[in-house]
Amino acid sequence: MFKRAIVRTPGESMLSGLTTAKLGLPNYEKALVQHAEYIKVLEECGLKVSILEKNEQYPDSTFVEDVALLTKECAIITKLGTPSRSGETVEIKNELSDYYTNIEKVREPGIVEAGDIMMVGSHFYIGISARTNESGAGQVIEYLEKYGMSGTLVKLDKMLHLKTGVAYLEQNNLVATGELLTKEEFQNFNILKIDDDESYAANCVWVNDRVLIPKGYPKARVTIASAGYSTIEVEVSEFRKLDGGLSCLSLRLF
Ligand code: GLY
C-alpha cells in the first residue's frame, strides 16, 4: 500500500514542455485545475500528498515521476535523458531524505527516466528507450540487487516510456497496449488489452486498490472495471498535450 505521494505544481513554462503529441498547447489555467483534482484523488485514495513548488526553469518538471525510482528499500535518483530536463533531479534528494536513509544516484554515461521503470513486487522492468540507456538501466539493476531486489530490461521501439504503454495493477493483472502486448517478458501476466484508439489509457495507476484512469476512455474503463477494480477517472487532457500521463504526475511512496 502507498502512504504518500510527491507532486509538483506545473509552472507556466509548461507551455514550452517537450511534446510529440500534436494536440496543441496546454491551457495553463486548466492544467492547474486538473493538477489540483489529481491531488484530491490521491488524497481520496489515502495518500498524504507533498506538493513541491512550481519550477519555471524546467517546463516538464511537473512530471515528477521521472526523477526518482522509489522502492520499499531505497530511492534511486535518476539521470534524465534529455538536456532540458537534466537539472530536475537537483533538489529531489533533500525531499527524499525525509523518507529514505538509502538514496542512490545514477551517473553518466547512464540515463534513466523512472517513467521507464515498472514495479512488480520486488522485480522491476526497465524499458530501454530514447530516454533510458543500458548503462543507466544497468546501474539501477545493480542498486536493486544491493537491496535484495531485481530488474530486467525491456526493449522499446516506439513508446516514449515503458509506462506509456503498460501498468501493473497487482494480482498478476497487467494493462498493456501496442508494442507491449506481445512482449515475451509479459506473457505470464493476465493482460488487460487496451485498444490502439484508447492507448493513452494504458498509463493508469494502481493506488491502494483503486485504479486511476484518464477521463474519456470508456472501453479501457470497462476493461479495467471488469477485472474487478474500482476505477476513478481523472481529467488530464492538458498534460496529455505534453506526452504526460497519470503516473508521470506523482512519485508514490510506501
Ligand atoms: N513532456 C514530458 C517529456 O517529454 O518528458
Side-chain angles (χ1 to χ4, degrees):
M1 301 289 264
F2 293 112
K3 293 199 178 102
R4 295 182 162 272
I6 299 172
V7 302
R8 185 185 289 286
T9 304
E12 236 167 315
S13 65
M14 77 181 286
L15 270 66
S16 52
L18 297 168
T19 186
T20 58
K22 299 192 175 72
L23 293 171
L25 281 181
N27 176 309
Y28 181 57
E29 296 307 320
K30 260 195 198 172
L32 287 176
V33 171
Q34 292 178 0
H35 197 259
E37 184 59 28
Y38 179 76
I39 292 169
K40 253 177 52 195
V41 168
L42 292 178
E43 288 171 343
E44 220 176 287
C45 294
L47 306 192
K48 185 163 172 29
V49 182
S50 304
I51 306 170
L52 306 180
E53 273 181 28
K54 63 183 177 177
N55 185 342
E56 297 290 1
Q57 194 183 349
Y58 297 110
D60 288 294
S61 55
T62 192
F63 301 119
V64 71
E65 175 181 58
D66 288 319
V67 303
L69 174 65
L70 304 185
T71 77
K72 287 188 177 146
E73 313 299 331
C74 66
I76 302 171
I77 297 175
T78 58
K79 178 102 189 71
L80 299 194
T82 190
S84 72
R85 299 198 63 185
S86 65
E88 286 180 30
T89 50
V90 170
E91 12 140 8
I92 199 68
K93 188 168 181 184
N94 281 345
E95 190 59 32
L96 294 176
S97 59
D98 288 346
Y99 313 110
Y100 283 96
T101 44
N102 299 322
I103 302 182
E104 309 286 355
K105 193 171 181 351
V106 173
R107 298 197 154 75
E108 283 180 347
I111 52 169
V112 183
E113 297 190 355
D116 269 320
I117 309 182
M118 179 176 72
M119 177 181 69
V120 178
S122 60
H123 186 79
F124 292 76
Y125 291 92
I126 308 177
I128 300 299
S129 67
R131 302 285 184 87
T132 294
N133 64 17
E134 296 204 1
S135 164
Q139 292 179 53
V140 170
I141 292 172
E142 275 182 34
Y143 289 136
L144 291 170
E145 289 176 349
K146 177 173 163 188
Y147 295 99
M149 298 172 282
S150 57
T152 46
L153 309 185
V154 182
K155 293 230 155 68
L156 301 181
D157 295 323
K158 299 188 195 116
M159 303 236 169
L160 172 64
H161 286 136
L162 179 67
K163 285 187 290 192
T164 305
V166 78
Y168 185 59
L169 304 187
E170 306 296 320
Q171 294 156 346
N172 206 44
N173 289 321
L174 187 81
V175 167
T177 194
E179 64 181 291
L180 296 169
L181 285 167
T182 51
K183 289 283 177 197
E184 212 183 309
E185 297 85 330
F186 296 145
Q187 298 311 307
N188 287 335
F189 290 107
N190 175 37
I191 293 182
L192 307 177
K193 178 177 183 282
I194 304 297
D195 291 342
D196 285 349
D197 61 338
E198 292 200 359
S199 64
Y200 180 69
N203 183 268
C204 52
V205 193
W206 178 96
V207 183
N208 300 348
D209 290 335
R210 313 288 299 274
V211 177
L212 279 48
I213 62 169
K215 192 163 185 181
Y217 299 87
K219 288 188 290 177
R221 186 175 189 178
V222 168
T223 299
I224 294 167
S226 303
Y229 294 99
S230 157
T231 59
I232 309 180
E233 283 190 310
V234 190
E235 179 63 88
V236 279
S237 60
E238 302 316 295
F239 300 96
R240 183 182 178 206
K241 291 174 181 172
L242 299 180
D243 295 335
L246 282 167
S247 77
C248 315
L249 289 171
S250 62
L251 280 163
R252 296 158 302 276
L253 291 85
F254 300 94

